[in-house]
Amino acid sequence: MQVLNWITTAPRRTLALIAAACVALLAFGMYLQHVQGLEPCPMCIVQRYALVLVAVSAGLASLRGSKGWWMSFGVLALAASGFGAFVAARQTWLQWYPPEFASCGRDFYGMIENYPVSRAIPMIFRGSGDCTAVDWTFLGGSIANWSFVCFVGLAAVLLVLLLKGGKRA
């Protein structure tokens, strides 16, 4: 019960911490890419964009104390974290049950530049050979597994904040 009170008593603090956590996760992703040499697949890039949207939304929500302001951006952050969890779950599924004929598709930017959005978005979610590869693990979980856990955790904190914080004020 103490944790719930800590989350809801200062919503701006909680939202600022969520934004900081997202920035830390993005920094770790950049470390894995540029220092460890792991190339992100299209689904990883979509998860990064979702994480950026959560960070920006939570950061903007923490700037003002008015309830309508932080609740609006909090809902946007919750939606983005739900979307990120969906993409991470789909990538986890592809890693656990890889398709028989996995082909390495184009990179994310190549798909967006060469195809209309109506064709590029389904291609991203279809995944490619790169999306099924498990190049890094921590405690038995792949990057997609941990990404899912992080997005669900962010969504849970945001949901508690929006439900309890909305009733209190």
Side-chain angles (χ1 to χ4, degrees):
M1 200 54 145
Q2 291 289 355
V3 173
L4 293 179
N5 287 338
W6 190 87
I7 289 172
T8 58
T9 54
R12 292 176 65 192
R13 173 188 60 203
T14 303
L15 290 162
L17 287 173
I18 288 172
C22 290
V23 170
L25 289 168
L26 287 166
F28 183 67
M30 293 295 122
Y31 166 79
L32 288 176
Q33 179 179 354
H34 296 291
V35 176
Q36 296 295 319
L38 300 178
E39 285 299 318
C41 69
M43 295 179 95
C44 296
I45 292 171
V46 171
Q47 290 170 57
R48 283 185 186 177
Y49 284 139
L51 203 54
V52 166
L53 188 56
V54 173
V56 169
S57 300
L60 287 173
S62 70
L63 292 179
R64 289 185 46 198
S66 76
K67 181 180 170 184
W69 176 269
W70 68 260
M71 291 277 291
S72 299
F73 281 107
V75 168
L76 182 59
L78 178 63
S81 62
F83 175 71
F86 168 76
V87 176
R90 177 69 179 139
Q91 184 177 5
T92 296
W93 178 265
L94 286 173
Q95 288 176 348
W96 287 344
Y97 304 104
E100 286 184 36
F101 301 104
S103 64
C104 286
R106 293 176 176 259
D107 65 312
F108 178 74
Y109 299 108
M111 284 189 265
I112 296 297
E113 289 174 0
N114 294 319
Y115 295 102
V117 174
S118 62
R119 283 190 57 203
I121 297 297
M123 289 170 72
I124 292 169
F125 288 108
R126 210 172 299 128
S128 67
D130 296 333
C131 292
T132 61
V134 178
D135 298 327
W136 181 89
T137 60
F138 178 71
L139 297 176
S142 69
I143 296 172
N145 303 145
W146 286 109
S147 180
F148 177 77
V149 168
C150 290
F151 277 119
V152 168
L154 291 170
V157 171
L158 286 163
L159 192 61
V160 167
L161 180 65
L162 292 170
L163 292 177
K164 295 270 190 184
K167 290 179 183 177
R168 288 173 44 96

